């Protein structure tokens, strides 16, 4: 129990995410539900449950690992369900930043501009991902 061990919560990092870079016809609803359950619902729920503890902090922060909102179809093409799920996390940032402002809780997003090539990236994108 983080509260008992550390005496409170100052920072929540919503980093958990499910990914499936598949097109609409290749994305089973079970996968769609998983991505939305983890990415959007998980972000919302963790933020909601931490809120009473963050309100007691003098340095309260929520950081979502989520992309900037860009409505160009390029970002949806070939993986609409995944982009929708990640953008849901970004929309939590927009809404909660304004909603929690009066409680001195800062809410931000971080999305690295440069990907670091890892075995996980190769698994997702194949061996050609390194050149992209």
């Amino acid at each position: 129990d983080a509260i008992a061990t550390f005496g409170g919560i100052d920072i929540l990092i919503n980093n958990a995410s499910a990914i499936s870079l598949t097109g609409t016809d290749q994305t089973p609803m079970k996968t769609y539900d998983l991505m939305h359950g983890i990415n959007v619902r998980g972000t919302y729920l963790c933020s909601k449950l931490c809120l009473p503890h963050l309100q007691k902090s003098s340095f309260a922060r929520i950081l979502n690992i989520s992309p900037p909102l860009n409505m160009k179809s390029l970002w949806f093409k070939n993986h609409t369900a995944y982009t929708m799920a990640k953008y849901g996390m970004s929309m939590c940032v927009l809404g909660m930043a304004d909603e929690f402002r009066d409680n001195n809780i800062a809410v931000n997003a971080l999305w690295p501009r440069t990907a670091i090539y890892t075995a996980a990236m190769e698994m997702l994108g194949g061996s050609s991902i390194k050149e992209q």
Side-chain angles (χ1 to χ4, degrees):
D1 186 33
I3 307 306
T5 303
F6 300 108
I9 295 175
D10 296 312
I11 300 172
L12 166 64
I13 300 175
N14 287 308
N15 185 43
S17 189
I19 182 172
S20 178
L21 298 177
T22 52
T24 302
D25 60 340
Q26 285 96 32
T27 306
M29 287 312 297
K30 185 174 183 176
T31 302
Y32 175 95
D33 290 341
L34 176 71
M35 287 190 291
H36 285 262
I38 292 172
N39 299 1
V40 184
R41 189 173 194 276
T43 294
Y44 186 89
L45 179 62
C46 288
S47 301
K48 177 181 174 59
L49 294 177
C50 285
L51 188 57
H53 306 288
L54 291 167
Q55 288 171 332
K56 296 175 187 174
S57 172
S58 60
F59 190 81
R61 303 285 187 266
I62 297 175
L63 179 65
N64 292 353
I65 308 303
S66 62
L69 294 171
N70 184 331
M71 293 299 136
K72 291 183 180 176
S73 62
L74 166 74
W75 299 109
F76 293 86
K77 180 184 173 187
N78 300 327
H79 43 75
T80 300
Y82 173 69
T83 301
M84 289 169 56
K86 289 305 286 188
Y87 278 19
M89 294 175 71
S90 301
M91 289 189 284
C92 285
V93 171
L94 288 177
M96 291 177 183
D98 219 25
E99 181 181 355
F100 302 161
R101 180 172 285 122
D102 290 342
N103 292 347
N104 294 316
I105 300 171
V107 184
N108 292 286
L110 173 67
W111 192 249
R113 182 181 173 110
T114 304
I116 299 171
Y117 179 72
T118 64
M121 294 227 2
E122 185 172 330
M123 180 192 75
L124 293 169
S127 59
S128 67
I129 194 84
K130 195 174 199 176
E131 286 81 41
Q132 294 180 15

